[in-house]
Amino acid sequence: LTGTSREQRAFQYLLAHAIPGDPHHILQTFDQWCYHCEHLSCVGPDKGRIVERVLLERAPLRVLELGTYCGYGTVLLAQGLPPGARLYTIEGDPQHAAVAEKVIRLAGFSEQTVELIVGPSEEVIPCLREKHGLMNANLVFMDHWKRCYLRDLRLLESHQLLAEGATILADNVLFPGAPHFLQYAKTCGKYHCKVHRASLEY
């Protein structure tokens, strides 16, 4: 009825209520909107704590996010980066990317810290090294289309974009589910797998 998308309405709420340059408050304000106004499929605070814990344990210098959406996960990742680290985030939907770009910059992250790349992941991944300077990633956060998880993991492998000992963190592998990705990760012999129990967002 308003002529704007849910994502744009959420950003307007952020502009009105969030403290610019305060990533933690940006995420809290997002959560308020999603709990009380409209649901958005962001990572959310419960699963966010798992992401924060992994960042703390791994202290990755090069992070790749597949599926920026509104930028919630991007801000969550960026605020937990060690000094000098860089985050590359890929979003296939230009309208979502436009909102995410504003959210990321509102949170106070520059292009030197967070680079948002717009385009289908299967087209962007092969160009990451030459076009964007990502030699390899220490941490990959997958939160895009579940059917793309396995394809994109194999692309990362074939283009040698995973650093030795890299961590792959994949959201919602049980529901809605990414069974082929899960089977591959468990049986290919390249990864140690751990399933984190969590609830759906909000």
Side-chain angles (χ1 to χ4, degrees), residues 114-125:
V114 179
E115 182 179 349
L116 173 59
I117 306 162
V118 185
S121 55
E122 73 271 23
E123 292 177 16
V124 174
I125 288 171

Side-chain angles (χ1 to χ4, degrees), residues 31-177:
D31 292 335
Q32 289 300 311
W33 172 264
C34 293
Y35 277 125
H36 302 297
C37 301
E38 292 180 279
H39 177 269
L40 295 174
S41 54
C42 303
V43 178
D46 293 338
K47 288 190 283 188
R49 281 187 280 275
I50 297 169
V51 176
E52 286 171 334
R53 191 169 71 244
V54 171
L55 282 167
L56 200 62
E57 289 170 0
R58 304 293 182 190
L61 288 175
R62 295 172 305 279
V63 179
L64 175 64
E65 179 186 33
L66 302 178
T68 318
Y69 188 41
C70 290
Y72 183 107
T74 315
V75 172
L76 180 70
L77 289 164
Q79 74 168 356
L81 292 177
R86 187 162 169 75
L87 167 60
Y88 302 80
T89 182
I90 301 171
E91 175 53 50
D93 185 317
Q95 290 182 317
H96 291 164
V99 173
E101 181 81 46
K102 290 184 277 193
V103 169
I104 294 161
R105 306 310 166 211
L106 184 68
F109 298 109
S110 69
E111 289 183 12
Q112 280 68 47
T113 303
V114 179
E115 182 179 349
L116 173 59
I117 306 162
V118 185
S121 55
E122 73 271 23
E123 292 177 16
V124 174
I125 288 171
C127 304
L128 281 172
R129 183 173 285 117
E130 281 120 30
K131 209 168 172 187
H132 301 280
L134 175 61
M135 300 312 290
N136 52 42
N138 309 110
L139 173 67
V140 179
F141 182 48
M142 293 186 166
D143 195 16
H144 56 326
W145 294 108
K146 312 311 157 207
R147 66 174 185 270
C148 301
Y149 279 17
L150 178 56
R151 179 201 68 195
D152 287 351
L153 178 60
R154 284 180 160 159
L155 270 177
L156 291 167
E157 290 174 348
S158 64
H159 287 86
Q160 299 178 320
L161 286 164
L162 298 175
E164 191 176 341
T167 301
I168 315 291
L169 195 56
D171 193 17
N172 296 334
V173 292
L174 298 181
F175 182 85

